[in-house]
């Protein structure tokens, strides 16, 4: 994120289920904004955290278990959306977070966020979805193939890393650089994190987002969609459908951005999120 001052973002960790849960944050008082990732990790939120904090919030971008810099390892049971929802609730409890929170979700993190809202697992005051899975938009073929145990067993480390480099480069679009791609891919050099990613891919199931649609249609909670117009995996048409069918929803389109628009338009997205979370505060 282009800033004239040094970033105040730091990485911290807390124990959840006996393992270190790592998260990016700005250590200050203020209303909590919980930011959830999916098939990437907390790095997707880094470009917008300072600006959200500048608006007076306490941003917390957590790495789900077995992903990013967190400990533990996911399997096909613990990588389902309901299981990850339960883990996020335990994570917030470990941080002594209670009361209202704003929640943002990217990719499969958006499915977790939707469940947190409609099942009242947290007191979600505002919901932001950034290139999130919705309806039956997922799993995409490059992810769905890991539902096959033979594919998982046959995929070598080199093949996996090459595929993730390609996916990251595509998702970053014009924001891709050798350094940035390497930063995104780095956690997957750990076999444990690779196994966790494949477990999340294997557990990916659109029934978890289809099931919450009726409750979302009844929800009066304000919702913001931010979408890269060129996203090849979570197509903007799904966001348009969501905005037309789900009440109290606003859609912001990001031209020239793919699946990780926070890197393509960090200032625009950070301002949009901060303004959205500030209204009604």
């Amino acid at each position: 994120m282009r800033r004239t001052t040094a970033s105040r973002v730091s990485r911290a960790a807390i124990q959840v289920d006996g393992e270190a849960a790592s998260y990016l944050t700005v250590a200050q008082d203020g209303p909590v904004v919980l930011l959830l990732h999916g098939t990437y990790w907390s790095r997707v939120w880094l470009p917008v955290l300072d600006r959200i904090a500048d608006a007076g919030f306490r941003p917390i971008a957590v790495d789900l278990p077995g992903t990013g810099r967190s400990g533990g390892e996911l399997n096909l049971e613990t990588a389902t959306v309901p299981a990850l929802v339960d883990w996020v609730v335990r994570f917030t409890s470990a941080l002594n977070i209670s009361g209202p929170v704003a929640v943002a979700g990217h990719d499969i993190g958006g499915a977790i966020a939707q469940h947190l809202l409609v099942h009242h697992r947290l007191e979600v005051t505002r919901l932001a979805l950034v290139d999130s899975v919705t309806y039956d938009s997922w799993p995409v073929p490059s992810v769905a193939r890991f539902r096959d145990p033979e594919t998982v067993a046959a995929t070598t480390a080199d093949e996996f890393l090459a595929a993730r480099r390609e996916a990251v480069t595509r998702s970053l679009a014009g924001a891709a650089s050798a350094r940035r791609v390497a930063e995104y891919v780095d956690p997957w050099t750990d076999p444990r994190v690779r196994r966790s990613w494949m477990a999340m891919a294997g557990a990916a199931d659109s029934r978890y987002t289809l099931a919450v649609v009726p409750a979302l249609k009844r929800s009066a909670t304000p919702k913001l969609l931010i979408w890269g117009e060129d996203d090849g995996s979570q197509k903007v048409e799904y966001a348009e459908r969501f905005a037309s069918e789900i009440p109290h929803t606003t859609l912001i389109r990001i031209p020239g951005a793919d699946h990780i628009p926070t890197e393509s338009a960090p200032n625009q997205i950070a301002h949009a999120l901060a303004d959205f979370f500030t209204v009604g505060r």
Side-chain angles (χ1 to χ4, degrees):
M1 187 173 188
R2 297 178 182 88
R3 297 175 56 83
T4 57
T5 58
S7 173
R8 294 182 290 142
V9 175
S10 62
R11 184 167 287 281
I14 194 167
Q15 291 288 303
V16 179
D17 301 336
E19 298 283 355
S22 181
Y23 59 98
L24 294 171
T25 191
V26 174
Q28 64 182 23
D29 293 330
V32 170
V33 174
L34 179 64
L35 303 111
L36 304 171
H37 69 85
T39 53
Y40 293 85
W41 55 300
S42 60
R43 179 66 178 78
V44 298
W45 296 112
L46 180 60
V48 301
L49 296 183
D50 275 305
R51 187 73 66 185
I52 292 173
D54 289 346
F57 295 96
R58 178 189 174 197
I60 298 174
V62 63
D63 286 328
L64 296 170
T67 72
R69 305 305 185 196
S70 282
E73 183 175 333
L74 293 174
N75 57 44
L76 289 176
E77 292 182 357
T78 59
T80 66
V81 167
L84 292 171
V85 169
D86 289 342
W87 185 90
V88 169
V89 172
R90 294 195 297 276
F91 168 74
T92 58
S93 177
L95 284 178
N96 295 316
I97 295 171
S98 60
V101 296
V103 178
H106 175 258
D107 192 83
I108 295 175
I112 299 169
Q114 292 169 59
H115 275 251
L116 288 169
L117 170 64
V118 304
H119 294 302
H120 309 290
R121 300 302 308 277
L122 297 176
E123 188 180 343
V124 179
T125 57
R126 292 187 163 251
L127 175 68
L129 301 177
V130 179
D131 292 73
S132 167
V133 298
T134 57
Y135 299 104
D136 61 351
S137 71
W138 66 302
V140 298
S142 60
V143 171
R145 69 191 188 95
F146 287 99
R147 300 177 78 171
D148 177 9
E150 292 185 2
T151 298
V152 172
T155 302
T156 68
D158 287 344
E159 290 170 339
F160 180 92
L161 291 171
R164 295 316 295 158
R165 286 190 193 96
E166 180 181 352
V168 168
T169 301
R170 182 176 61 251
S171 295
L172 290 172
S177 67
R179 177 189 60 78
R180 190 168 285 149
V181 170
E183 287 179 4
Y184 272 86
V185 171
D186 180 68
W188 293 313
T189 60
D190 184 335
R192 173 184 59 85
V193 180
R194 291 199 298 273
R195 291 193 298 268
S196 290
W197 188 96
M198 288 189 281
M200 182 181 285
D205 194 328
S206 63
R207 67 191 171 104
Y208 295 124
T209 41
L210 290 168
V212 298
V213 171
L216 286 170
K217 289 181 176 179
R218 297 190 298 269
S219 169
T221 301
K223 304 164 192 72
L224 175 67
L225 307 184
I226 299 176
W227 233 263
E229 285 191 339
D230 298 336
D231 192 336
S233 58
Q234 298 306 311
K235 297 184 181 301
V236 72
E237 288 80 8
Y238 278 98
E240 293 168 341
R241 177 184 172 188
F242 191 107
S244 69
E245 294 183 353
I246 308 300
H248 311 287
T249 299
T250 301
L251 170 60
I252 296 176
R253 303 163 67 112
I254 308 297
D258 202 285
H259 190 55
I260 308 180
T262 49
E263 297 283 4
S264 301
N267 289 327
Q268 180 184 353
I269 293 174
H271 279 298
L273 289 171
D275 290 346
F276 174 67
F277 294 141
T278 298
V279 174
R281 178 172 150 192

